[in-house]
Amino acid sequence: MYVVLIGPQGSGKGTQADRLAPKHSLMKIATGDLFRAEIGADTALGKRVKQYLDQGELVPDDVTLSIVEDRLKVIDAGDANGAVFDGFPRTQGQAEGLDHALEHRDSSINLVIEIVIAEKSLISRLAGRRVCSQCGRVYHMEFQPPAVDGRCDVCGGSLEQRADDTEEAIRRRLSLYRQMTAPLLDYYGSRGIVREVNGDQLVDHVEAAIDDAVAAAIAELE
Ligand code: AMP
């Protein structure tokens, strides 16, 4: 099963992908996390993409698609039942590339969840966001604080603010979302696989709404 989470930065996609993936043995494929890991490890790919991330610009489609293809190969090896995509696809070219990659595997996107959220909520969400430097789990100082200040509940890693959670980069990312990513809802909408979930509610309630949408999609598969 392949699920895409679409929503602007700060809508809670990462948190929800973390919660959804283990319930159905899905691999979470978050391209932003994958790029940050490459930058952290100072690989050739990391060096190539760093500037895009720092400025809130999109990494070129060919680079993004190849990092996703690598993850799909891990799924092919039998390590998961599919994937939940977080922050991917972000452009029409990526959506088409993903369709091709899944067609080769006799699969397709089963469900696209749009997390709908008022734009005024986003800036405060992003400003309060903290990410575990070791495992990538996402917290919020106000809405989802860790048990121990500054430490990840899961692995004890230190929580940090992302370099691109600055006001300028956030504005650029939101504008790219509106221009490039939101139109994908029409691309998938014509297939009847988009479900809207209200992202302006407690994290647990968003999770429950996503669980319902996934259960309905699974029932359709059977
Ligand atoms: P995110 O963690 O999803 O907010 O992504 C952080 C940054 O990584 C973005 O601002 C882009 O620079 C880059 N990035 C992540 N996913 C993609 C993607 N699907 N296409 C292009 N760039 C991406």
Side-chain angles (χ1 to χ4, degrees):
M1 163 166 224
Y2 291 92
V3 180
V4 173
L5 299 183
I6 293 190
Q9 289 70 22
S11 59
K13 298 187 300 292
T15 301
Q16 295 300 333
D18 280 336
R19 292 182 177 210
L20 178 63
K23 289 179 199 166
H24 302 280
S25 297
L26 302 178
M27 178 184 284
K28 175 189 176 188
I29 302 184
T31 41
D33 291 350
L34 296 173
F35 290 139
R36 279 186 291 277
E38 296 285 335
I39 292 169
D42 206 21
T43 63
L45 177 61
K47 289 194 179 85
R48 187 162 170 209
V49 302
K50 184 173 185 317
Q51 225 184 348
Y52 295 102
L53 272 87
D54 284 349
Q55 291 170 2
E57 295 296 332
L58 293 180
V59 172
D61 284 351
D62 57 336
V63 179
T64 306
L65 281 163
S66 78
I67 205 169
V68 169
E69 179 66 33
D70 288 347
R71 302 310 289 158
L72 292 176
K73 285 187 183 136
V74 177
I75 297 176
D76 296 341
D79 281 6
N81 286 336
V84 49
F85 296 100
D86 159 15
F88 173 88
R90 260 171 155 100
T91 66
Q92 176 85 18
Q94 291 177 16
E96 289 171 4
L98 177 60
D99 280 344
H100 289 139
L102 294 181
E103 262 166 40
H104 283 302
R105 295 167 164 88
D106 286 327
S107 291
S108 61
I109 305 287
N110 305 96
L111 175 66
V112 175
I113 292 177
E114 179 190 6
I115 304 188
V116 181
I117 184 158
E119 201 153 300
K120 64 175 167 43
S121 311
L122 295 176
I123 302 288
S124 72
R125 281 187 176 216
L126 290 167
R129 175 158 77 176
R130 297 293 180 274
V131 183
C132 174
S133 55
Q134 276 180 39
C135 74
R137 183 160 284 259
V138 182
Y139 295 84
H140 192 282
M141 307 265 277
E142 191 183 338
F143 309 124
Q144 208 195 336
V148 178
D149 208 22
R151 291 275 151 210
C152 178
D153 293 348
V154 180
C155 75
S158 68
L159 302 188
E160 287 168 10
Q161 184 159 31
R162 271 172 51 169
D164 62 348
D165 279 345
T166 61
E167 204 173 321
E168 200 186 340
I170 290 170
R171 268 212 210 96
R172 179 65 186 144
R173 283 150 65 210
L174 290 175
S175 135
L176 282 172
Y177 174 78
R178 281 190 294 269
Q179 272 175 49
M180 310 291 289
T181 308
L184 297 183
L185 293 165
D186 291 333
Y187 178 79
Y188 291 122
S190 60
R191 299 184 204 168
I193 55 172
V194 179
R195 297 287 172 271
E196 274 186 24
V197 165
N198 174 13
D200 260 323
Q201 49 180 344
L202 290 172
V203 178
D204 288 351
H205 294 180
V206 178
E207 180 182 2
I210 290 177
D211 285 345
D212 287 349
V214 171
I218 290 173
E220 268 172 39
L221 277 177
E222 283 164 357

